[in-house]
Amino acid sequence: MADVVKRGLEGVVVSESQLSTINGDAGRLSYRGYAIEDLARGASYEEVLYLLWYGTLPDQTELAEFTEAMAADREVDDTILEITRALAAADEEPMAALRTVVSALSESDSDADMTDREANLRKGRWITAKMPTIVAAFERARRGDQLVPPREDLGHAENFLYMLNNEVPNEVVSETFDQALVLHADHGLNASTFSAMVTASTLADLRAALTSAIGTLSGSLHGGANQDVMEMLEDVDRSGSDPLKWIETAIDEGRRIPGFGHRVYSVTDPRAKILSERSESLGKAAGDTKWYEMSTAIEQYLAEEKGLAPNVDFYSASTYYQMGILIDMYTPIFAISRVGGWIAHVLEQYDDNRLIRPRARYVGPENRKFVPLEKR
């Protein structure tokens, strides 16, 4: 019997994990057994990192020590900042810049040659703490603004927004961004996580695995989807037409509507529900709920007319937009969050490693006769 080919490895189980589980039919997601709704509304991103990396939620002392260590790792050295400035000056794509700079971090990593679990945890914390600094520095450099150094007295989410905008965000914005980081921290064996695991399975180091993941996340079918959503919403707004008429016309013309459908969920992505609430809160706080109202109208129309449900990208788009974040920075922000999950999965891979080496079924020609060059 011929091997069954599963395009895109759909439905193929390739490993066991204790990190996150998804019930696509029921619309449920959990990290290490905790419902995503409880974590997003009750835990900080630092708590979720600790949960993913160490297996349990931290107590107050553990969280304080972990948070302090994370904050102390935020600064990057001048060599890395110069690379970041040069990439910004060259008008490099943000994800390409992030991939390059994360790869270059080995220059200042004292644990570069160590591969035991404790060293990898230190490396993971070190890289996770520095990625927001790199992303904020790149954005400010390409604007021509002075770089803002990190502060150790602010939380992970709050500090990033401070470095990005040179002002401490208000409570609504800070809480929203922290929730967004929690919601994006892990999601099973998504493409970028699997990419990191494949690289790690060769016993390449943690940074190589993360660089692979960043490259994979950059694709529009993965991390770039929320950017596509916001560009669509802007097009709808600029057109001046009724949003539902615009969507109907787009569908009639065969255009894909970004932010709907998911390879895992057959119902509404649970993360989309939470970000919908935050999008509304941000709009109300700013006195303008236009983007939220447009999004909910489109969601309702596509649910009723096409049976389509939104995924996390649909509402993260308007949420980030209302925080003043430029559209092409959405995917680097995704990376700032998902790096926590990547590290957790790579640690699992190292703990019980086997080289990931699938097969392909050959469907090309057979028994061809070789003809020497001079007779072709």
Side-chain angles (χ1 to χ4, degrees), residues 336-358:
I336 287 173
S337 170
R338 185 56 59 83
V339 67
W342 293 336
I343 290 165
H345 282 275
V346 168
L347 290 172
E348 278 195 335
Q349 183 67 36
Y350 285 148
D351 284 344
D352 186 24
N353 188 58
R354 183 171 175 79
L355 177 67
I356 296 174
R357 207 298 190 186

Side-chain angles (χ1 to χ4, degrees), residues 131-159:
M131 279 178 60
T133 308
I134 293 164
V135 171
F138 175 83
E139 173 57 16
R140 290 190 67 82
R142 70 175 183 168
R143 290 187 214 158
D145 293 337
Q146 185 175 358
L147 305 192
V148 177
R151 282 173 48 174
E152 293 189 18
D153 61 322
L154 301 176
H156 194 72
E158 191 178 24
N159 177 68

Side-chain angles (χ1 to χ4, degrees), residues 59-373:
D59 60 28
Q60 291 184 351
T61 300
E62 290 167 335
L63 179 60
E65 291 175 352
F66 181 74
T67 300
E68 183 178 344
M70 282 277 293
D73 283 336
R74 287 173 180 160
E75 287 193 7
V76 297
D77 65 26
D78 289 341
T79 301
I80 296 300
L81 290 178
E82 285 306 311
I83 294 172
T84 304
R85 287 190 181 97
L87 291 167
D91 199 27
E92 181 62 276
E93 291 291 324
M95 282 297 285
L98 180 61
R99 183 190 65 229
T100 299
V101 178
V102 168
S103 180
L105 281 175
S106 58
E107 182 272 337
S108 56
D109 182 3
S110 60
D111 285 345
D113 296 328
M114 300 178 67
T115 59
D116 62 277
R117 185 177 180 84
E118 286 305 311
N120 280 324
L121 280 166
R122 288 194 301 273
K123 289 181 190 180
R125 187 190 69 214
W126 192 78
I127 295 170
T128 302
K130 284 174 169 48
M131 279 178 60
T133 308
I134 293 164
V135 171
F138 175 83
E139 173 57 16
R140 290 190 67 82
R142 70 175 183 168
R143 290 187 214 158
D145 293 337
Q146 185 175 358
L147 305 192
V148 177
R151 282 173 48 174
E152 293 189 18
D153 61 322
L154 301 176
H156 194 72
E158 191 178 24
N159 177 68
F160 170 72
L161 295 173
Y162 163 73
M163 291 188 296
L164 188 67
N165 299 316
N166 199 23
E167 64 179 20
V168 177
N170 65 46
E171 187 174 354
V172 172
V173 171
S174 180
E175 288 182 357
T176 298
F177 192 68
D178 190 69
Q179 277 195 339
L181 294 181
V182 169
L183 293 170
H184 287 89
D186 194 43
H187 204 244
L189 257 60
N190 55 84
S192 57
T193 295
F194 188 61
S195 176
M197 290 171 62
V198 170
T199 301
S201 79
T202 71
L203 297 184
D205 69 7
L206 177 63
R207 188 173 302 96
L210 298 181
T211 303
S212 294
I214 291 169
T216 305
L217 187 68
S218 66
S220 62
L221 291 182
H222 191 8
N226 53 8
Q227 179 175 337
D228 295 338
V229 171
M230 198 60 229
E231 289 172 349
M232 176 192 73
L233 294 177
E234 285 191 317
D235 286 344
V236 174
D237 188 52
R238 279 193 297 267
S239 73
S241 64
D242 177 82
L244 305 188
K245 286 289 185 184
W246 192 97
I247 294 294
E248 186 177 1
T249 299
I251 292 173
D252 290 343
E253 293 175 352
R255 284 185 276 163
R256 176 179 164 272
I257 307 301
F260 285 84
H262 197 280
R263 280 282 289 272
V264 178
Y265 295 109
S266 57
V267 295
T268 299
D269 186 329
R271 301 167 299 173
K273 294 178 182 179
I274 298 169
L275 284 176
S276 171
E277 297 168 4
R278 300 311 301 187
S279 178
E280 182 181 21
S281 297
L282 286 170
K284 287 180 176 178
D288 182 5
T289 58
K290 174 180 70 174
W291 299 111
Y292 170 76
E293 291 170 4
M294 184 188 300
S295 298
T296 54
I298 292 171
E299 177 190 359
Q300 184 175 354
Y301 171 79
L302 289 176
E304 294 175 354
E305 298 296 323
K306 304 295 179 181
L308 296 174
N311 56 45
V312 67
D313 300 304
F314 187 65
Y315 279 104
S316 65
S318 59
T319 299
Y320 292 155
Y321 193 84
Q322 291 176 97
M323 287 192 281
I325 297 171
L326 293 182
I327 294 174
D328 68 351
M329 296 302 292
Y330 290 3
T331 310
I333 287 170
F334 194 159
I336 287 173
S337 170
R338 185 56 59 83
V339 67
W342 293 336
I343 290 165
H345 282 275
V346 168
L347 290 172
E348 278 195 335
Q349 183 67 36
Y350 285 148
D351 284 344
D352 186 24
N353 188 58
R354 183 171 175 79
L355 177 67
I356 296 174
R357 207 298 190 186
R359 294 183 301 142
R361 187 170 70 199
Y362 179 71
V363 294
E366 301 276 2
N367 301 318
R368 302 175 82 177
K369 185 177 179 180
F370 178 76
V371 178
L373 179 61

